[in-house]
Amino acid sequence: MRLAEVFSPPRNPCGYYKDRYSCFRYFYIQNCSRAFCQGLVERGFRRFGEYFFTPMCQGCSECVSIRQLVHEFTLSKSHKRIIAKNLNTSVLITRPSISQEKLLLHEKYHQIMAQKKGWAFQCMSPESYVESFVEGFCDFGYEILYEIEGKLVGVGYFDMLENAISAAYFFYDHEFSSQSLGTFNILTQLLLAKSKGLSYFYPGYWIEGHHSMGYKERFKPFEILVNTPDIFELPLWLAPESKTP
């Protein structure tokens, strides 16, 4: 395993607050092991390709690492309705790869999100797609393809670790918004983790009440990371109501 560390410039515009700047700590890791990946995820890191990152923003700690308790998770009536209306949605779990169909869906998704939520839009090249989603999957990275009547409508990426599933990214066709594909993708991974006897599901960062990031609290019960541990320090996860140690 080869590892290099770098910090992003501290004056990058924040993707969630227009009046703030972001700074990330990155590890570039080739041939990462499943155990080391899980250790980083437990300490608040996320993975894109061979890059692992965690926010280190001065004066702001709004992005909170969150994880669902898989053994205690139960489907709500709303969840059951979403699963029912996706009975004809084909779900295929495979290894990450690139295709023109995925590139076009990714571009279409981000064009809509730029209009809908003000995301900065930049067309992703095939090289960038491979770097972000295909490289670095080692023996733990997977891709979920969602199809309706033979049409690709969603693509999700996740890591299956020793005791958890860590979601990486999901994009979908807004023409099928009535299917609630974002929620269906999370439920697919949560139920997969439960079927495998895994303890946790990591959906990424959570910003309480935020229009883009607040939805992750809808899957209960969950814990949040209340400290900022380095890679050789123990992470402290607590229920949100007891987050002050």
Side-chain angles (χ1 to χ4, degrees):
M1 186 174 74
R2 298 177 60 189
L3 183 151
E5 182 180 13
V6 67
F7 288 83
S8 67
R11 301 299 290 178
N12 286 335
C14 174
Y16 302 111
Y17 294 100
K18 296 184 182 300
D19 61 341
R20 306 181 194 183
Y21 295 91
S22 64
C23 179
F24 288 89
R25 181 188 188 186
Y26 287 93
F27 288 129
Y28 175 71
I29 305 176
Q30 291 182 327
N31 302 316
C32 185
S33 70
R34 187 190 303 262
F36 197 75
C37 179
Q38 176 157 315
L40 289 175
V41 169
E42 290 173 349
R43 287 157 179 79
F45 282 80
R46 310 300 300 159
R47 181 181 77 84
F48 269 30
E50 294 179 314
Y51 291 90
F52 294 77
F53 62 92
T54 188
M56 303 287 289
C57 307
Q58 186 173 1
C60 180
S61 57
E62 293 291 326
C63 290
V64 176
S65 291
I66 181 174
R67 69 183 184 186
Q68 272 72 31
L69 307 180
V70 172
H71 296 311
E72 299 176 41
F73 172 75
T74 57
L75 294 170
S76 67
K77 291 182 179 179
S78 174
H79 295 155
K80 291 177 182 177
R81 285 195 296 269
I82 290 170
I83 290 174
K85 68 183 178 181
N86 280 285
L87 289 177
N88 293 325
T89 301
S90 171
V91 179
L92 174 64
I93 299 176
T94 184
R95 290 297 194 171
S97 65
I98 185 173
S99 71
Q100 187 65 21
E101 192 177 21
K102 293 171 193 172
L103 281 169
L104 291 174
L105 181 58
H106 184 276
E107 181 176 348
K108 181 179 180 181
Y109 172 77
H110 279 267
Q111 285 176 334
I112 296 295
M113 295 304 280
Q115 300 169 9
K116 186 177 178 181
K117 296 189 176 181
W119 291 9
F121 173 74
Q122 184 176 358
C123 185
M124 179 173 273
S125 67
E127 293 78 14
S128 294
Y129 191 97
V130 169
E131 184 179 40
S132 296
F133 302 124
V134 180
E135 290 179 347
F137 66 80
C138 298
D139 63 344
F140 49 78
Y142 291 88
E143 171 185 271
I144 312 179
L145 304 179
Y146 298 91
E147 293 186 353
I148 296 177
E149 297 181 352
K151 177 181 175 62
L152 183 67
V153 298
V155 181
Y157 292 96
F158 71 92
D159 293 333
M160 188 177 296
L161 306 174
E162 294 182 333
N163 200 27
I165 281 180
S166 175
Y169 201 69
F170 178 68
F171 55 92
Y172 65 93
D173 191 335
H174 280 82
E175 292 181 22
F176 295 84
S177 293
S178 61
Q179 300 297 121
S180 303
L181 291 170
T183 300
F184 184 57
N185 176 60
I186 290 178
L187 292 174
T188 298
Q189 295 182 50
L190 269 168
L191 294 176
L192 176 62
K194 180 167 281 195
S195 73
K196 296 290 186 181
L198 306 180
S199 297
Y200 304 108
F201 172 66
Y202 294 84
Y205 299 119
W206 167 57
I207 301 177
E208 187 174 7
H210 193 277
H211 66 279
S212 290
M213 301 285 276
Y215 70 91
K216 295 172 184 178
E217 67 187 42
R218 299 176 193 162
F219 304 89
K220 294 181 172 63
F222 64 86
E223 296 177 331
I224 58 175
L225 183 63
V226 299
N227 63 341
T228 309
D230 208 337
I231 57 175
F232 297 111
E233 298 173 341
L234 291 177
L236 179 59
W237 291 86
L238 295 173
E241 59 269 19
S242 57
K243 64 182 178 181
T244 303

